[in-house]
Amino acid sequence: MGEKLISINIEDEMKSSYIDYSMSVIVSRALPDARDGLKPVHRRVLYGMYQLGIFSNNSYKKSARIVGEVLGKYHPHGDISVYDTMVRMSQKWTLRYPLIDGQGNFGSLDADPPAAMRYTEVRMKKISEEMLLDIKKGTVDMQLNFDDSLEEPTVLPTRIPNLLINGSSGIAVGMATNIPPHNLKETIKAICAYIDNNDISVEQIMEYIKAPDFPTGGIIYGYDGVKKAFHTGKGRIVLRAKVHLEEIHGRQCIVVDEIPYQVNKSEMINRTVELMKDGKLEGIYQIRDESDRNGLRIVYVLKQNIINTNVLLNNLFKYTSLQTYFNVNNIALVNGKPVQLNIKDLIQHFVDHRQSVIIRRTQYELKKYKNRIQTLIGFLTILDHLDKMIELIKDSKDHNEACDRLIQKFKLSKHQSKSILDIRLQSLTSLEIDKIKREHKELVKKIAFLENVLRQHSIRMRIIKKELLNIKDKYQDKRRTQIDYLGSEVNMEDLIEDEQVVLTISHAGYIKRTSLSEYKCQGRGGFGNRGAIARESDFFKHLLIATNHQYLLIFTEKGKCFWLRVYEIPEGSKISKGRAIQNMIHLQPDDKVNAYILTGDLTKNKYVKNHYVMMVTQKGMVKKTSLKHYSRPRKDGIKAIVIREGDSLLEAILIKGNSHIFIAVKSGKIIRFSEDKVRSTGRMSSGVIGINLTIPEDSVIGMICLEKEEKGQHLLVVSDKGFGKRSNLKDYRITNRGGKGIKTINITQKTGSLIAIKKVTDQDDLMIIKKSGIIIRIPVSDIRVMGRDTQGVKLINLKKNEEIADVEKVYNKQVV
């Protein structure tokens, strides 16, 4: 009865209530003030400790005592919110310059929880006391607490640029802030530079503040994100762990000395172990966390036969928190409103705040000194009339009468007369009188200076600068986070040495890469060095000279194309067996690798448009297709050529569009024709006839391309029984494609069938690999130049029933 109902649109009510809630979160909880860099809870913790007198030179007090003080007087929220704030303010891996000195268990880098507040103790750090200096001099506005019983500061009169040196993070409603910490020494130098020149640019400020400086150290990888963040207040900074290679007990190890900011160490290690189990990180034998109170140390013990260490390290950066991102978003409260601020804005708001503090402090001190000087003037006035003053006081019946009579007799103010009545008799000695005169003289000078401070902006700036330099001298330290300025421009391959390597692929599909320097040059007719240990019923079929940074296009006999980087291929010694290629590409069980192409950068349009892939099948079909069609193969591969029934892809070569093509067959014949006889087609074609096979059991064994005929170039052929020879290129006339070809070697039972053709010069070396895995390297100059009809000379000694698997040439300039 008597209730009054008011109809309200629910949409309007929800909108109004949500806006009120969101502004409360933004202003009173989540975002820091641009002046002191603190959120309300941080400010209340420091002010509560200040009120209790828990300074850096006093004893520690129980955390529960401070939490109770803050809750009961200033912060009407849960005790966990206050204690967690205190914990973070004391953690040296959370704040660049911790504000609270904690004693006890305050957590760890592994995100271990701190001990309960009844066990831990705290006191203020010396640097945090600098934030509260002069607070009793009316330097900042005060506001009533939640129950209007006490006053608390709306901002602290900080002498340190806390928002810049410690940063801040928080999630409000509809917005978030993530301000990185910076080095105090660099920051103060930049602020002083701004004071000297308010028109200083962000670029000039960056000459002093190089980049953020995180408490856990690490490396800022690349500078573009830093530049953007400094200019706009928003950017993405790449952080990497600081690592080095170390040999421990005969094993190669990757040792982590510093991890990126805000990374949970134990979670990172556990995630790495999961990736090892999933097969995404191969080559790690064991992970040991050897961190202690003296510092962080994580040891990744590597396996004996690992892939390239640099590749493994880059995979760690890619898949684990050894590389993270700090998304800068400099949002802070300016006049109670959230504003996006760049580095210069942050400096400007701090300097403006310091100037306001100095003005209010000066006004407070000026008022205090003026009151004191009035008192001294009263003392000096009655010094020559001491006897009359004493007589007047003696004749007065009480204090009030004496006060009034002094005012009338000596023309004093009420304050002066009261001060004279309170004076002690011992102050009337000549020594004390001289002291009063000196104090009066000093106060006159101080008042004149303070009045100048209020009048002149330049004097205030000098004071700010002087106080900042004093802070720098007391608290400066070295930068912890290194800066890799080229990081943003460095690709993964730039961290891998671009050395010459030998790629070998076995008949069963095992691939590896070995440094070319492991193969020593021998004379013709030698037995060779031990290469890979062949698996049972396996032999090594392909050998290729490459560099780590090249791209490898892999072609299968069924006409599919796959894409790999050379450095992604597992590294092994000469006697290692390699890794199954089907574990690296999605190869079908009934397919196998038959050809490969080494290319340059496939991401460059000009490069792929100016190159073609020339392919040949065992049945003599040829096909020319632009390299751009193979520049972006899919994970499961792409169709490179349509293979007809009974045929298979044999060879693929990279050409530029103006070559002569040589195709050799097992029976010892070669055909030479111009590339322009084969028009370029798309991927989904089968090509045209390159050479006509007249013998049913005959097949193509190889193809070479000749861009231009140069002096000293020869055609080298090798048979499977170890015979070979060189012949002049001019001995092979140019014909149309589709012919039968002409003889290049006299095939006999002694020589065996033709197995390889190569284009060589005297400066080249030849590498020959047997099916047993034995490899020999001989100079091409040791092989005679002979006519087309001869059988050649013996290149390598073969044991009974032994045959050659593959042949490759090596340029001497490639020899390491």
Side-chain angles (χ1 to χ4, degrees):
M1 296 294 292
E3 291 183 354
K4 185 178 180 181
L5 300 178
I6 302 174
S7 298
I8 298 175
N9 186 301
I10 190 169
E11 183 180 343
D12 295 337
E13 178 62 23
M14 291 292 291
K15 187 184 296 183
S16 175
S17 299
Y18 189 76
I19 289 173
D20 291 343
Y21 163 73
S22 63
M23 287 307 298
S24 174
V25 172
I26 290 169
V27 175
S28 303
R29 193 183 305 174
L31 299 185
D33 194 293
R35 296 169 293 177
D36 62 3
L38 297 175
K39 301 176 187 177
V41 65
H42 298 88
R43 194 176 299 116
R44 287 164 177 166
V45 167
L46 291 178
Y47 187 65
M49 295 178 74
Y50 175 82
Q51 291 290 76
L52 288 172
I54 309 174
F55 301 116
S56 60
N57 57 351
N58 292 342
S59 60
Y60 292 92
K61 301 296 180 186
K62 284 289 184 182
S63 299
R65 182 175 177 183
I66 291 91
V67 171
E69 176 81 4
V70 174
L71 284 179
K73 291 183 176 180
Y74 310 113
H75 198 68
H77 299 281
D79 57 347
I80 297 300
S81 65
V82 177
Y83 185 52
D84 282 352
T85 297
M86 290 174 57
V87 168
R88 286 192 295 272
M89 291 169 74
S90 69
Q91 291 175 336
K92 61 183 180 180
W93 58 89
T94 299
L95 291 190
R96 181 64 177 81
Y97 299 91
L99 301 176
I100 289 179
D101 183 8
Q103 183 171 263
N105 175 16
F106 280 86
S108 71
L109 263 175
D110 294 328
D112 295 322
M117 67 180 81
R118 61 183 179 274
Y119 299 118
T120 60
E121 297 177 336
V122 293
R123 64 183 178 186
M124 295 175 72
K125 282 271 192 182
K126 184 68 178 174
I127 196 171
S128 60
E129 293 175 15
E130 306 284 356
M131 301 185 71
L132 289 146
L133 282 178
D134 304 324
I135 195 169
K136 290 187 175 180
K137 294 182 179 180
T139 50
V140 294
D141 292 333
M142 304 295 284
Q143 65 183 8
L144 293 172
N145 67 343
F146 59 90
D147 63 359
D148 296 344
S149 61
L150 295 168
E151 286 189 332
E152 61 174 321
T154 58
V155 67
L156 297 186
T158 176
R159 289 193 180 188
I160 64 169
N162 183 60
L163 189 58
L164 279 160
I165 66 172
N166 274 329
S168 184
S169 63
I171 301 173
V173 178
M175 64 183 67
T177 186
N178 203 27
I179 303 173
H182 300 83
N183 183 269
L184 182 139
K185 180 181 178 181
E186 293 178 3
T187 300
I188 289 179
K189 283 184 176 181
I191 295 172
C192 291
Y194 170 80
I195 290 172
D196 294 337
N197 174 22
N198 289 167
D199 295 325
I200 189 171
S201 66
V202 173
E203 290 290 344
Q204 290 171 318
I205 289 174
M206 290 171 66
E207 294 176 9
Y208 301 97
I209 305 179
K210 305 296 183 183
D213 189 22
F214 297 97
T216 53
I219 298 171
I220 291 175
Y221 190 67
Y223 206 58
D224 290 342
V226 174
K227 284 183 179 179
K228 186 177 179 183
F230 276 10
H231 279 87
T232 67
K234 200 167 186 177
R236 190 189 201 199
I237 297 175
V238 182
L239 296 177
R240 279 191 169 185
K242 191 175 181 181
V243 303
H244 71 274
L245 298 179
E246 189 176 317
E247 188 170 317
I248 303 174
H249 302 307
R251 281 187 180 271
Q252 189 79 352
C253 299
I254 296 173
V255 180
V256 179
D257 302 308
E258 297 171 0
I259 59 176
Y261 184 48
Q262 296 175 331
V263 167
N264 184 318
K265 174 164 61 70
S266 62
E267 281 187 7
M268 180 186 74
I269 293 173
N270 292 336
R271 172 61 179 158
T272 306
V273 172
E274 290 176 6
L275 292 169
M276 290 165 58
K277 292 178 180 178
D278 293 342
K280 290 185 178 179
L281 279 178
E282 296 188 352
I284 300 176
Y285 171 70
Q286 185 184 45
I287 303 175
R288 296 200 300 264
D289 185 0
E290 299 180 358
S291 305
D292 55 24
R293 64 180 59 191
N294 297 319
L296 182 140
R297 180 180 168 90
I298 305 170
V299 180
Y300 295 83
V301 183
L302 308 185
K303 292 179 180 178
Q304 295 286 5
N305 298 319
I306 62 164
I307 61 176
N308 186 288
T309 306
N310 286 315
V311 175
L312 175 57
L313 185 56
N314 277 282
N315 282 330
L316 283 169
F317 286 139
K318 181 178 180 181
Y319 293 113
T320 75
S321 295
L322 286 182
Q323 175 173 305
T324 60
Y325 302 93
F326 189 92
N327 294 303
V328 178
N329 191 20
N330 295 341
I331 293 181
L333 296 176
V334 178
N335 297 324
K337 297 179 181 179
V339 180
Q340 187 100 42
L341 306 169
N342 66 14
I343 191 74
K344 184 178 178 180
D345 297 330
L346 291 170
I347 291 173
Q348 179 187 338
H349 287 298
F350 172 74
V351 172
D352 290 346
H353 177 54
R354 282 305 300 159
Q355 183 172 206
S356 171
V357 168
I358 287 171
I359 289 172
R360 295 178 67 161
R361 182 182 71 189
T362 303
Q363 290 170 340
Y364 175 88
E365 292 176 346
L366 191 59
K367 182 180 178 181
K368 177 182 173 184
Y369 292 156
K370 282 184 175 180
N371 287 337
R372 177 61 180 166
I373 206 168
Q374 287 298 314
T375 302
L376 295 178
I377 290 172
F379 289 163
L380 294 173
T381 301
I382 55 92
L383 284 178
D384 296 330
H385 307 88
L386 284 176
D387 293 336
K388 290 182 180 181
M389 180 196 72
I390 293 171
E391 190 68 29
L392 186 148
I393 294 172
K394 285 169 63 179
D395 292 342
S396 301
K397 65 178 181 181
D398 57 24
H399 181 276
N400 291 333
E401 184 181 338
C403 183
D404 293 338
R405 292 180 69 184
L406 284 173
I407 292 171
Q408 292 172 2
K409 179 71 175 176
F410 298 103
K411 307 299 181 185
L412 301 175
S413 67
K414 192 169 185 178
H415 172 75
Q416 288 173 324
S417 63
K418 285 184 177 181
S419 299
I420 289 169
L421 289 173
D422 292 338
I423 196 170
R424 293 192 200 179
L425 289 176
Q426 69 179 24
S427 301
L428 300 178
T429 63
S430 60
L431 187 63
E432 288 296 323
I433 291 171
D434 289 340
K435 194 174 179 182
I436 289 171
K437 289 180 179 179
R438 285 197 304 272
E439 184 183 355
H440 177 268
K441 189 177 180 180
E442 289 173 2
L443 281 177
V444 169
K445 291 180 181 178
K446 286 182 179 179
I447 289 170
F449 172 74
L450 292 176
E451 287 176 340
N452 281 334
V453 169
L454 293 176
R455 280 195 299 265
Q456 298 183 37
H457 177 270
S458 59
I459 297 178
R460 296 196 294 271
M461 291 300 106
R462 283 204 301 271
I463 293 171
I464 294 172
K465 193 172 177 180
K466 182 181 178 181
E467 291 175 350
L468 282 171
L469 292 174
N470 182 48
I471 294 291
K472 179 174 76 72
D473 292 339
K474 285 200 282 188
Y475 305 109
Q476 66 179 330
D477 59 359
K478 292 182 179 179
R479 163 174 278 278
R480 296 181 188 175
T481 305
Q482 296 180 6
I483 307 168
D484 185 348
Y485 290 94
L486 298 177
S488 58
E489 300 172 7
V490 175
N491 295 318
M492 185 174 175
E493 61 267 22
D494 293 315
L495 301 177
I496 300 171
E497 185 180 354
D498 194 21
E499 67 171 344
Q500 307 295 318
V501 294
V502 177
L503 302 181
T504 54
I505 304 173
S506 76
H507 179 72
Y510 289 87
I511 187 170
K512 69 169 183 176
R513 64 185 169 93
T514 308
S515 175
L516 184 61
S517 60
E518 290 199 28
Y519 297 93
K520 296 179 181 178
C521 193
Q522 300 180 11
R524 177 174 66 84
F527 283 94
N529 292 322
R530 166 61 62 181
I533 301 173
R535 301 170 190 266
E536 187 178 354
S537 71
D538 191 14
F539 62 88
F540 284 83
K541 184 176 181 182
H542 302 301
L543 182 145
L544 182 65
I545 307 303
T547 65
N548 277 330
H549 289 190
Q550 286 183 291
Y551 293 74
L552 182 68
L553 295 185
I554 300 173
F555 296 85
T556 70
E557 66 176 7
K558 290 193 172 184
K560 293 198 78 173
C561 175
F562 297 89
W563 192 90
L564 273 180
R565 301 302 297 272
V566 170
Y567 61 71
E568 294 174 335
I569 298 170
E571 186 177 24
S573 65
K574 288 195 298 180
I575 61 174
S576 64
K577 298 174 182 179
R579 180 180 173 190
I581 199 167
Q582 60 262 33
N583 291 337
M584 303 183 68
I585 60 176
H586 288 200
L587 194 64
Q588 295 297 321
D590 58 344
D591 203 0
K592 65 179 180 179
V593 174
N594 254 18
Y596 40 80
I597 287 179
L598 285 169
T599 75
D601 193 346
L602 293 178
T603 63
K604 294 182 178 179
N605 290 331
K606 186 176 180 181
Y607 177 82
V608 296
K609 286 180 180 178
N610 292 335
H611 287 80
Y612 297 86
V613 176
M614 180 68 76
M615 288 170 276
V616 65
T617 70
Q618 282 191 330
K619 296 299 183 181
M621 300 296 292
V622 293
K623 175 187 172 183
K624 181 173 76 171
T625 305
S626 173
L627 181 60
K628 68 181 180 181
H629 293 299
Y630 306 102
S631 61
R632 294 177 182 174
R634 293 183 291 273
K635 187 175 182 180
D636 293 327
I638 59 173
K639 196 74 173 178
I641 183 174
V642 175
I643 300 296
R644 296 177 179 177
E645 187 176 354
D647 201 358
S648 62
L649 180 64
L650 176 74
E651 188 83 74
I653 296 178
L654 196 65
I655 57 177
K656 292 183 179 179
N658 55 355
S659 304
H660 283 177
I661 308 300
F662 292 73
I663 298 176
V665 294
K666 188 166 63 173
S667 59
K669 290 187 176 182
I670 282 183
I671 188 171
R672 175 181 182 179
F673 57 87
S674 176
E675 176 195 329
D676 58 19
K677 299 295 182 181
V678 184
R679 66 181 181 86
S680 178
T681 59
R683 289 190 296 108
M684 302 305 292
S685 65
S686 58
V688 294
I689 296 175
I691 187 170
N692 190 1
L693 304 180
T694 56
I695 306 173
E697 61 272 16
D698 207 0
S699 63
V700 175
I701 56 93
M703 173 178 67
I704 64 171
C705 293
L706 180 69
E707 288 188 21
K708 64 177 180 177
E709 198 168 324
E710 297 179 356
K711 187 177 180 181
Q713 282 185 335
H714 297 97
L715 184 72
L716 181 141
V717 292
V718 180
S719 70
D720 60 9
K721 294 292 181 69
F723 285 83
K725 67 171 183 177
R726 288 189 291 165
S727 53
N728 292 314
L729 291 168
K730 64 182 179 181
D731 293 343
Y732 301 89
R733 68 181 185 274
I734 301 172
T735 64
N736 287 324
R737 65 168 179 81
K740 298 178 181 178
I742 59 175
K743 184 181 290 187
T744 183
I745 187 172
N746 189 23
I747 296 297
T748 64
Q749 188 174 359
K750 181 181 179 182
T751 63
S753 301
L754 189 63
I755 190 174
I757 61 168
K758 301 292 173 186
K759 179 182 62 178
V760 296
T761 67
D762 284 343
Q763 286 71 44
D764 299 332
D765 290 338
L766 199 66
M767 294 188 74
I768 303 173
I769 185 167
K770 304 177 184 179
K771 290 184 178 180
S772 61
I774 299 292
I775 298 176
I776 185 171
R777 177 171 175 172
I778 62 174
V780 167
S781 57
D782 286 358
I783 305 172
R784 289 168 52 195
V785 178
M786 308 171 71
R788 289 190 300 105
D789 290 339
T790 58
Q791 70 176 14
V793 295
K794 201 161 197 177
L795 304 181
I796 184 170
N797 288 325
L798 299 174
K799 296 178 182 179
K800 188 177 180 181
N801 297 325
E802 196 172 29
E803 293 181 346
I804 294 174
D806 203 0
V807 177
E808 185 59 75
K809 73 172 181 179
V810 184
Y811 293 100
N812 272 342
K813 64 182 179 182
Q814 292 176 314
V815 178
V816 179

